Amino acid sequence: MKPEKRANNYLSITRSKAKMFEFNIPESEHLETDVNFIDLLDLTIAIIGDYTSNYDFTSRNANTSEFLFSAKYFDALINIRNLEIAEESHDYLTLLGAVAYYLSDNIGSSKVLINYLNTTINLNASNLENIIFNIINKSYINPKLFKGNNFEENLVEFSLSYNVFLSSGENSRELLNGTDKLMRIFYRFGSGRELLFADIINALIKKYIVISAWTSLPKYSNLTKEKWEHYLKRPNAIKEFWPSQVLLGEKDVFRGKSAVIQMPTSAGKTKSAELIIRSAFIKGQTNLAVIVAPFRALCHEIHNDFYQQFSEDLDIEITLVSDVMQFDLNIENLEKKYVLILTPEKLDFILKHQIELSKAIGLIIYDEGHLFDDESRGVKYELLLASLKRNLPNRCQTILISAVMPNSYDIGSWLIGENFAQVEAKEMSPTQRNIAFTNWEGEKAILQFANPSNIDSSEFYVPKVFERQKLKLKPRERSERFYPRKGEPSEIAMTLGCKLVQSGPVAIFTARKDSATKCAREIIEAFERGFSVNPPSEFMDEKVIYEFSNYLSKILGHSTIPAKAASYGILMHNGSIPEGVRSCVEYALQNQKAKFVICTSTLSQGVNLPIRYLIITTTHPGRDEIKIRDFHNLMGRAGRAGKYTEGNIIFADNTIYDTKKKNDWYWNKAKNLLSTSMSENCQSRILEYFKSNSSAEELMKDTSNKINTTNSVKDYLISALEDVEDLNRASIFATELAENTLAFYQANNIERNQLKNYFQEITKEIFMKIPDSEMRKSFSKVTLALDESLLLYDILSQKIHLLKTTQSFEEFVDFMWPIIYRFTNLPEVDNEILKNVFIKWVSGETYSDIFDFLDESSVRIKSNRNLTIDHVIDLCEDKYGYESSMVVGSCIELIQSIDSNNNLTSQVEEIKLFQKKIKYGLKSKKSILVYEIGFNDRYLAQQIAHELKGIIRNKRVLKRIIRLRPEPVKLIVNEYPDYYRYILSNITG
């Protein structure tokens, strides 16, 4: 029984009606229709009854499209507010929707609908409805529910069998027999509804037994059930496999097979990684697993998830390795099991200092592993993987995960070799996603929802979503002002966001940080001028708004855009927002305390937030078009599985849709972005060196990229050749490294010869400039380009005698500042002013105070623009906190080389501390330790450090002190957003 064209049209109209309520369109402005919205009820119930009565889960995709049709219908129907149905019928439709989603493999959406229901429901079906509820919810059935029931004996027998299977994986045969018995009884004596529910229970049990973790983990890992029992009995253990995890199992990934995996966001990637690690540890494959994630925020998220999931595994240490370029990894012994979570750059740095560690790695997972063509990091990432290919033991399981990677087979063949699994799970999104375009040709804007099978046609539309409003004028203003305006996607996006936020969390995607600020600034001004749309703060807890407003005012200044926006319930998440604030925003969104965020590409960088509406202002991040795979990563943030049954991606720029008939260029660009088949292959950044560009602009960019590529290759080769004495041996090694790169794999024969010659010429230059192998060891740990490293070495050699008498903070600043100024790419501002800002930063002064200093000094940054708090954060965090700390790290390595007699050991230790002071913008060791245990805000870290008395030598001691006396810290963090209370609770237990 398949839905025909007329039924699909009815479904579209029903969904359109539900969307009008969801988008808070006044009922007086709803579209009139002759359709009776319950006309599809007979068909959708019949679909469920027909396919569950003969359910066969062993056949792949067992009628999932038909079940999904029914699920979408029930989901829409229960959201039509003026539909005259009894509460019992509403619960009935909700339950059927949950069943249909579950059987269509949208398990997360099924859980969403189940959570709408009370734990005990009554649909007059002999409590079969509660059996269905508990099967989907993976909760125990209370046999007392059936007391006095006509079928009590059989229902109790079934429930006990189910409970045994849920708790231990035993009794599957008895459970199936009990299911068959229920079907026979209710087919003979039951009502129509009871018969339907008995069929549903039959299908649910058949599916659950197959995908249950009790069945799947032993089957797919080749480990006995007893090996998994200690884990599966925990409340937070996985209960059943999602489709993507079944596919991983079928491809032998849980048995230790290496793989390249395409898996969409929210498809169970983190849980899959956890199971791969558990399987490797249980079978004794390794005691050291490494997760490499490209972004610090993603590392934090993985760590937080794993910290909770492995909290009962006392023999497993989950370690988030800091991104300070120091060897601060503490692995006491490999008798214990370790999971290291770190960025590629930090792993590269660690292996430079301890290459033998690579031999201990038995499992390595590259998350978001498509960085090879990244402009800033691609070359080093590729060389890291090329080097690891050579150094990782043969037994090491290698997993590379990306949401979209069309040439995944080529990447796997290069990285792993012949024996790997190619896992194509990119279409297994656990949540449906709607694509809508703003259509604003008349007075009021319309949202056109695209047909997923044909983007050129609309599946349905929502009318009269918003219109422009006339704003109040200020004294002496004469020209009329309106908000939003046609052709202004940032204004349209913010208006849409404010209209939708009461129905679920909203993220506004902008191309650049300044565009995000513009969005916030313009809506703030519109509200101040009487814009009559409810701000997001209307739908948030006042305490949350106060905490964020107070916090941002304290560290950034009360008049800054982020602080003012927070008072309206609008939060910001981009590279110019301090790390601590970003953590607080992420946590507030994850826990649905916040509902509105303006963000840049930071949202697509792996952090999973429960966003229901993703509103796109532009597809042009700067001069370049956004990559298709990056756009799909971004789209994956909308509609997180288990939170919403669907996500909505809305293009705010009305010109895309409005001009598609006259000029289809923008329309075709949008269509291409939405098609995974148009996604770019993952290409080597190194190989780009040998490609030529024609235009003058491309040539300039090409020259810059070639310089960066060469510097990255030099840096890597210096490290790799540190122990090689002979140039001939070095050339052989360089050739082998070149042959292990993705560039070599993807190159033609001419390019391969060029690549080998290129590596050999760089090797010759290294040996010519640094002929001594001991010197190369020192330079191998320096993060600067070769020529700059040599210049820095000369400078330090000439002034190292001054270091002997350097003791105070001020003296270290005087010693290091000329070097920092010379080797950090600082803005064109007076040296003395920059030095004063540096001192203020390292002394822990707030961004607000630093802004006031620069403003009073009449400083302008970036093309004489007015100074903003964003400029201050970029200067402090990016230039000083990142670049300058790297320069100081290079100084540490070179000073140790120059000081061959170890006369400056104490000074070197002070410089290492000084490097952390620069990294975090904190003056005391105590406040640095506070920052590093999770209180990652400079102002807060100093407050807590001030309350903690005595000398604290390390993080372990610090945590013990806080556990023994948490009250002073609790009083402080209670004035901050929830995130820091969460951090404190993790420490105190």
Side-chain angles (χ1 to χ4, degrees), residues 853-894:
F853 167 75
L854 285 169
D855 197 40
E856 289 165 8
S857 304
S858 302
V859 169
R860 295 292 176 267
I861 297 174
K862 293 189 178 179
S863 306
N864 293 319
R865 292 185 196 170
N866 288 335
L867 184 72
T868 68
I869 197 68
D870 289 357
H871 296 145
V872 174
I873 296 168
D874 289 345
L875 173 60
C876 292
E877 292 208 343
D878 292 349
K879 297 304 180 184
Y880 294 145
Y882 180 71
E883 289 186 30
S884 297
S885 71
M886 298 279 273
V887 170
V888 174
S890 297
C891 289
I892 292 167
E893 301 297 341
L894 294 177

Side-chain angles (χ1 to χ4, degrees), residues 81-288:
R81 292 173 200 156
N82 63 350
L83 200 63
E84 294 182 1
I85 55 174
E87 183 178 344
E88 177 202 326
S89 299
H90 190 278
D91 286 350
Y92 177 55
L93 298 175
T94 303
L95 187 67
L96 290 179
V99 167
Y101 271 130
Y102 187 87
L103 295 174
S104 68
D105 284 341
N106 288 263
I107 296 174
S109 297
S110 176
K111 293 283 180 65
V112 173
L113 292 194
I114 276 294
N115 288 336
Y116 290 166
L117 299 169
N118 293 323
T119 53
T120 303
I121 51 177
N122 183 9
L123 299 179
N124 297 311
S126 297
N127 268 317
L128 294 178
E129 59 270 34
N130 286 292
I131 291 177
I132 294 170
F133 176 94
N134 286 289
I135 293 171
I136 292 176
N137 201 44
K138 300 300 167 289
S139 50
Y140 292 102
I141 301 171
N142 184 358
K144 292 179 181 178
L145 281 172
F146 310 111
K147 192 169 184 179
N149 192 299
N150 291 335
F151 312 102
E152 179 178 352
E153 183 180 345
N154 300 105
L155 291 170
V156 169
E157 181 185 344
F158 170 85
S159 300
L160 293 174
S161 294
Y162 165 79
N163 289 346
V164 169
F165 184 80
L166 181 65
S167 64
S168 67
E170 301 293 332
N171 276 5
S172 61
R173 177 50 54 195
E174 290 84 347
L175 181 56
L176 285 171
N177 290 338
T179 305
D180 288 339
K181 191 181 291 185
L182 285 186
M183 287 183 67
R184 288 196 302 272
I185 290 169
F186 284 102
Y187 263 65
R188 187 175 179 184
F189 301 110
S191 66
R193 180 173 290 186
E194 288 170 337
L195 190 153
L196 172 65
F197 282 1
D199 282 340
I200 288 171
I201 291 168
N202 168 60
L204 293 177
I205 289 297
K206 284 182 177 178
K207 179 169 184 172
Y208 173 48
I209 287 175
V210 173
I211 66 173
S212 163
W214 284 108
T215 307
S216 299
L217 277 173
K219 173 184 175 182
Y220 292 131
S221 66
N222 201 30
L223 293 164
T224 64
K225 189 184 292 183
E226 289 70 29
K227 294 280 189 181
W228 285 104
E229 190 172 14
H230 70 290
Y231 162 65
L232 288 175
K233 284 187 175 291
R234 298 175 189 171
N236 65 347
I238 187 172
K239 298 295 185 289
E240 59 193 347
F241 271 32
W242 287 14
S244 58
Q245 290 153 352
V246 170
L247 186 56
L248 291 178
E250 291 172 346
K251 295 285 188 176
D252 291 336
V253 176
F254 300 119
R255 294 190 179 202
K257 191 166 189 175
S258 295
V260 175
I261 302 167
Q262 290 189 78
M263 184 183 289
T265 299
S266 201
K269 182 174 63 175
T270 303
K271 181 58 72 174
S272 297
E274 178 198 337
L275 296 177
I276 293 169
I277 290 168
R278 287 189 182 280
S279 183
F281 284 166
I282 291 171
K283 67 167 59 98
Q285 174 182 317
T286 186
N287 279 0
L288 179 58

Side-chain angles (χ1 to χ4, degrees), residues 934-945:
F935 299 103
N936 59 345
D937 179 84
R938 299 166 63 241
Y939 194 91
L940 172 61
Q942 291 176 95
Q943 277 187 290
I944 294 173

